[in-house]
Protein backbone atom coordinates (compact mmCIF):
# COMPACT_ATOMS: atom_id res chain seq x y z
CA UNK A 1 0.00 0.00 0.00
CA UNK A 2 1.22 3.49 -0.76
CA UNK A 3 0.17 7.13 -0.94
CA UNK A 4 0.71 9.64 -3.71
CA UNK A 5 4.08 11.34 -3.82
CA UNK A 6 2.36 14.73 -3.89
CA UNK A 7 0.46 14.09 -0.65
CA UNK A 8 3.62 12.70 0.95
CA UNK A 9 5.60 15.79 0.00
CA UNK A 10 2.88 17.99 1.49
CA UNK A 11 2.85 15.95 4.71
CA UNK A 12 6.65 15.87 4.91
CA UNK A 13 6.92 19.66 4.62
CA UNK A 14 4.37 20.06 7.41
CA UNK A 15 6.22 17.78 9.85
CA UNK A 16 9.88 18.09 8.82
CA UNK A 17 9.97 21.77 7.94
CA UNK A 18 13.07 22.70 6.00
CA UNK A 19 14.88 19.37 6.48
CA UNK A 20 16.35 18.13 3.24
CA UNK A 21 15.42 14.76 1.84
CA UNK A 22 18.96 13.60 2.56
CA UNK A 23 18.62 14.58 6.22
CA UNK A 24 15.21 12.94 6.48
CA UNK A 25 16.55 9.72 4.98
CA UNK A 26 19.57 9.66 7.34
CA UNK A 27 17.34 10.17 10.37
CA UNK A 28 14.83 7.54 9.24
CA UNK A 29 17.40 4.97 8.19
CA UNK A 30 16.13 4.98 4.60
CA UNK A 31 18.38 4.90 1.55
CA UNK A 32 18.18 8.22 -0.27
CA UNK A 33 17.85 6.33 -3.56
CA UNK A 34 14.84 4.43 -2.19
CA UNK A 35 12.91 7.60 -1.42
CA UNK A 36 13.98 9.17 -4.71
CA UNK A 37 12.69 6.16 -6.66
CA UNK A 38 9.36 6.26 -4.83
CA UNK A 39 8.94 9.96 -5.55
CA UNK A 40 9.76 9.47 -9.22
CA UNK A 41 7.22 6.66 -9.47
CA UNK A 42 4.65 8.86 -7.80
CA UNK A 43 3.89 6.51 -4.90
CA UNK A 44 5.47 6.44 -1.44
CA UNK A 45 5.19 3.34 0.74
CA UNK A 46 3.58 3.30 4.16
CA UNK A 47 6.81 1.83 5.51
CA UNK A 48 8.58 5.04 4.48
CA UNK A 49 5.96 7.17 6.25
CA UNK A 50 6.29 5.04 9.37
CA UNK A 51 10.09 5.28 9.36
CA UNK A 52 10.02 9.06 8.94
CA UNK A 53 7.41 9.39 11.69
CA UNK A 54 9.45 7.37 14.15
CA UNK A 55 12.59 9.34 13.36
CA UNK A 56 10.71 12.57 14.10
CA UNK A 57 9.14 11.03 17.23
CA UNK A 58 5.64 11.38 15.77
CA UNK A 59 2.85 8.85 16.40
CA UNK A 60 2.79 6.60 13.34
CA UNK A 61 -0.99 6.21 13.42
CA UNK A 62 -1.50 9.98 13.53
CA UNK A 63 0.87 10.39 10.59
CA UNK A 64 -0.97 7.77 8.52
CA UNK A 65 -4.30 9.38 9.41
CA UNK A 66 -3.09 12.56 7.68
CA UNK A 67 -3.66 10.78 4.35
CA UNK A 68 -7.23 10.47 3.00
CA UNK A 69 -7.16 6.68 2.67
CA UNK A 70 -6.38 6.32 6.37
CA UNK A 71 -8.10 9.33 7.88
CA UNK A 72 -10.24 7.12 10.16
CA UNK A 73 -7.27 5.14 11.47
CA UNK A 74 -6.63 7.19 14.63
CA UNK A 75 -10.30 7.39 15.56
CA UNK A 76 -10.60 3.66 14.88
CA UNK A 77 -8.20 2.64 17.64
CA UNK A 78 -9.91 0.12 19.90
CA UNK A 79 -8.41 -2.13 22.55
CA UNK A 80 -7.88 -5.67 21.32
CA UNK A 81 -10.37 -8.33 22.28
CA UNK A 82 -9.06 -11.15 24.44
CA UNK A 83 -8.92 -13.36 21.36
CA UNK A 84 -6.88 -10.75 19.47
CA UNK A 85 -4.44 -10.31 22.34
CA UNK A 86 -4.03 -14.08 22.65
CA UNK A 87 -3.43 -14.33 18.91
CA UNK A 88 -0.29 -12.29 19.38
CA UNK A 89 1.20 -14.74 21.86
CA UNK A 90 3.48 -17.33 20.30
CA UNK A 91 2.81 -21.06 20.29
CA UNK A 92 5.84 -21.57 22.53
CA UNK A 93 4.53 -19.08 25.12
CA UNK A 94 1.08 -20.70 25.12
CA UNK A 95 2.67 -24.08 25.81
CA UNK A 96 4.89 -22.54 28.45
CA UNK A 97 1.85 -21.12 30.22
CA UNK A 98 0.14 -24.52 30.14
CA UNK A 99 3.20 -26.16 31.70
CA UNK A 100 3.38 -23.48 34.39
CA UNK A 101 -0.26 -23.95 35.28
CA UNK A 102 0.05 -27.73 35.36
CA UNK A 103 3.12 -27.57 37.58
CA UNK A 104 1.36 -25.12 39.90
CA UNK A 105 -1.71 -27.36 40.13
CA UNK A 106 0.41 -30.42 40.95
CA UNK A 107 2.30 -28.53 43.66
CA UNK A 108 -0.71 -26.56 44.93
CA UNK A 109 1.09 -23.28 44.22
CA UNK A 110 0.55 -20.13 42.22
CA UNK A 111 1.54 -20.39 38.54
CA UNK A 112 4.93 -18.94 37.73
CA UNK A 113 5.31 -15.96 35.45
CA UNK A 114 7.62 -15.39 32.50
CA UNK A 115 8.29 -12.68 29.94
CA UNK A 116 6.38 -13.12 26.70
CA UNK A 117 8.24 -13.06 23.43
CA UNK A 118 7.40 -10.41 20.83
CA UNK A 119 3.88 -10.17 19.38
CA UNK A 120 4.88 -10.77 15.75
CA UNK A 121 5.46 -14.53 15.90
CA UNK A 122 5.69 -17.15 13.15
CA UNK A 123 1.91 -17.43 12.68
CA UNK A 124 0.72 -14.08 14.03
CA UNK A 125 -1.16 -13.04 10.88
CA UNK A 126 -3.12 -16.28 10.56
CA UNK A 127 -3.79 -16.35 14.32
CA UNK A 128 -5.16 -12.80 14.26
CA UNK A 129 -7.41 -13.50 11.28
CA UNK A 130 -8.71 -16.61 13.03
CA UNK A 131 -9.35 -14.54 16.17
CA UNK A 132 -11.45 -11.90 14.39
CA UNK A 133 -12.95 -14.17 11.74
CA UNK A 134 -16.53 -13.40 10.85
CA UNK A 135 -18.40 -15.48 8.35
CA UNK A 136 -16.14 -15.87 5.30
CA UNK A 137 -13.83 -13.02 6.38
CA UNK A 138 -11.03 -13.97 3.99
CA UNK A 139 -13.39 -14.15 1.02
CA UNK A 140 -14.93 -10.79 1.90
CA UNK A 141 -11.50 -9.17 2.22
CA UNK A 142 -10.41 -10.59 -1.15
CA UNK A 143 -13.56 -9.29 -2.85
CA UNK A 144 -13.40 -5.87 -1.21
CA UNK A 145 -9.73 -5.40 -2.09
CA UNK A 146 -10.13 -6.94 -5.56
CA UNK A 147 -7.38 -9.45 -4.87
CA UNK A 148 -7.37 -13.08 -5.94
CA UNK A 149 -8.12 -15.40 -2.99
CA UNK A 150 -5.01 -17.42 -3.74
CA UNK A 151 -2.86 -14.28 -3.53
CA UNK A 152 -4.38 -13.42 -0.16
CA UNK A 153 -3.79 -16.97 0.99
CA UNK A 154 -0.17 -16.78 -0.11
CA UNK A 155 0.38 -13.67 1.99
CA UNK A 156 -1.17 -15.33 5.03
CA UNK A 157 0.91 -18.47 4.55
CA UNK A 158 4.03 -16.29 4.38
CA UNK A 159 2.90 -14.60 7.64
CA UNK A 160 2.54 -11.21 6.05
CA UNK A 161 -0.35 -8.99 5.07
CA UNK A 162 0.00 -5.56 3.50
CA UNK A 163 -1.34 -2.64 5.50
CA UNK A 164 -4.34 -2.08 3.27
CA UNK A 165 -5.51 -5.68 3.67
CA UNK A 166 -4.87 -5.66 7.43
CA UNK A 167 -6.95 -2.51 7.88
CA UNK A 168 -9.68 -3.76 5.55
CA UNK A 169 -9.83 -7.04 7.48
CA UNK A 170 -10.28 -5.09 10.73
CA UNK A 171 -13.02 -2.96 9.19
CA UNK A 172 -14.96 -5.99 8.01
CA UNK A 173 -14.48 -7.82 11.30
CA UNK A 174 -15.54 -4.77 13.31
CA UNK A 175 -12.41 -4.58 15.49
CA UNK A 176 -9.82 -1.87 16.12
CA UNK A 177 -8.40 -0.67 12.82
CA UNK A 178 -4.80 -0.75 14.02
CA UNK A 179 -4.93 -4.24 15.52
CA UNK A 180 -4.13 -6.08 12.30
CA UNK A 181 -1.07 -3.88 11.86
CA UNK A 182 0.28 -5.33 15.10
CA UNK A 183 -0.21 -8.85 13.74
CA UNK A 184 1.78 -7.98 10.62
CA UNK A 185 4.57 -6.35 12.60
CA UNK A 186 3.96 -2.97 10.94
CA UNK A 187 3.06 -1.39 14.31
CA UNK A 188 4.15 -2.24 17.82
CA UNK A 189 1.32 -2.86 20.32
CA UNK A 190 2.08 0.50 21.94
CA UNK A 191 1.88 2.32 18.60
CA UNK A 192 -1.48 0.65 17.94
CA UNK A 193 -2.89 1.91 21.25
CA UNK A 194 -2.72 -1.37 23.17
CA UNK A 195 -2.26 -1.30 26.93
CA UNK A 196 1.29 -2.29 27.93
CA UNK A 197 0.08 -5.51 29.56
CA UNK A 198 -2.77 -6.36 27.17
CA UNK A 199 -1.32 -9.69 26.11
CA UNK A 200 -0.29 -10.71 29.63
CA UNK A 201 -3.75 -9.94 31.02
CA UNK A 202 -5.45 -11.89 28.25
CA UNK A 203 -3.22 -14.88 28.92
CA UNK A 204 -3.71 -14.83 32.69
CA UNK A 205 -7.48 -14.46 32.38
CA UNK A 206 -8.12 -17.26 29.88
CA UNK A 207 -9.49 -20.46 31.39
CA UNK A 208 -7.34 -23.58 31.40
CA UNK A 209 -9.66 -25.42 29.01
CA UNK A 210 -9.72 -22.55 26.51
CA UNK A 211 -5.95 -22.23 26.70
CA UNK A 212 -5.44 -25.91 25.94
CA UNK A 213 -7.94 -25.81 23.05
CA UNK A 214 -6.21 -22.74 21.59
CA UNK A 215 -2.79 -24.35 21.84
CA UNK A 216 -4.19 -27.54 20.28
CA UNK A 217 -5.60 -25.54 17.34
CA UNK A 218 -2.27 -23.76 16.83
CA UNK A 219 -0.37 -27.05 16.86
CA UNK A 220 -2.83 -28.56 14.40
CA UNK A 221 -2.27 -25.66 12.00
CA UNK A 222 1.49 -25.89 12.50
CA UNK A 223 1.36 -29.63 11.82
CA UNK A 224 -0.40 -29.07 8.49
CA UNK A 225 2.10 -26.38 7.50
CA UNK A 226 5.05 -28.63 8.36
CA UNK A 227 3.50 -31.54 6.49
CA UNK A 228 3.13 -29.44 3.32
CA UNK A 229 6.71 -28.24 3.68
CA UNK A 230 7.97 -31.80 4.10
CA UNK A 231 5.94 -33.00 1.11
CA UNK A 232 7.32 -30.17 -1.02
CA UNK A 233 10.87 -30.97 0.09
CA UNK A 234 10.35 -34.65 -0.70
CA UNK A 235 8.98 -33.80 -4.16
CA UNK A 236 12.01 -31.62 -4.92
CA UNK A 237 14.37 -34.34 -3.70
CA UNK A 238 12.60 -36.87 -5.88
CA UNK A 239 13.02 -34.63 -8.94
CA UNK A 240 16.75 -34.25 -8.27
CA UNK A 241 17.15 -38.00 -7.84
CA UNK A 242 15.36 -38.66 -11.12
CA UNK A 243 17.53 -36.10 -12.89
CA UNK A 244 20.43 -37.75 -11.45
Amino acid sequence: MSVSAKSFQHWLSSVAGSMSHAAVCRAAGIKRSTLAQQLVRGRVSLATIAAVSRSLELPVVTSLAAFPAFQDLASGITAPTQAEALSQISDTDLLQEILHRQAAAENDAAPGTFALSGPHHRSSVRAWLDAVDTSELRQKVARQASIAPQNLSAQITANRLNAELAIESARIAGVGLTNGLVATGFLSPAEAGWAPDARELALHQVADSELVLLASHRLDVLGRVLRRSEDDAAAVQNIWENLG
Side-chain angles (χ1 to χ4, degrees), residues 51-85:
V52 173
S53 297
R54 293 180 181 118
S55 71
L56 297 175
E57 299 184 352
L58 299 172
V60 177
V61 173
T62 301
S63 295
L64 293 176
F67 299 90
F70 307 101
Q71 60 185 0
D72 61 341
L73 201 57
S75 61
I77 290 179
T78 302
T81 63
Q82 183 185 53
E84 286 183 287

Side-chain angles (χ1 to χ4, degrees), residues 21-156:
H21 285 179
V24 168
C25 289
R26 281 196 301 271
I30 303 171
K31 290 184 178 179
R32 188 175 178 181
S33 59
T34 298
L35 178 58
Q37 289 171 1
Q38 292 181 15
L39 293 175
V40 168
R41 293 170 183 165
R43 306 297 299 180
V44 176
S45 72
L46 299 189
T48 295
I49 297 171
V52 173
S53 297
R54 293 180 181 118
S55 71
L56 297 175
E57 299 184 352
L58 299 172
V60 177
V61 173
T62 301
S63 295
L64 293 176
F67 299 90
F70 307 101
Q71 60 185 0
D72 61 341
L73 201 57
S75 61
I77 290 179
T78 302
T81 63
Q82 183 185 53
E84 286 183 287
L86 289 172
S87 77
Q88 297 312 294
I89 297 176
S90 70
D91 302 350
T92 301
D93 286 346
L94 291 178
L95 295 174
Q96 182 80 350
E97 177 69 9
I98 291 173
L99 292 176
H100 277 219
R101 292 189 186 189
Q102 286 296 104
E106 292 174 0
N107 297 302
D108 193 25
T113 59
F114 61 96
L116 296 178
S117 53
H120 184 53
H121 56 83
R122 64 180 295 171
S123 60
S124 57
V125 170
R126 184 187 301 276
W128 177 73
L129 287 170
D130 288 344
V132 303
D133 196 8
T134 57
S135 177
E136 299 182 339
L137 174 61
R138 289 164 173 79
Q139 293 89 328
K140 291 178 181 178
V141 171
R143 286 196 298 269
Q144 186 67 27
S146 298
I147 180 176
Q150 59 268 31
N151 291 340
L152 175 61
S153 179
Q155 287 195 43
I156 297 170

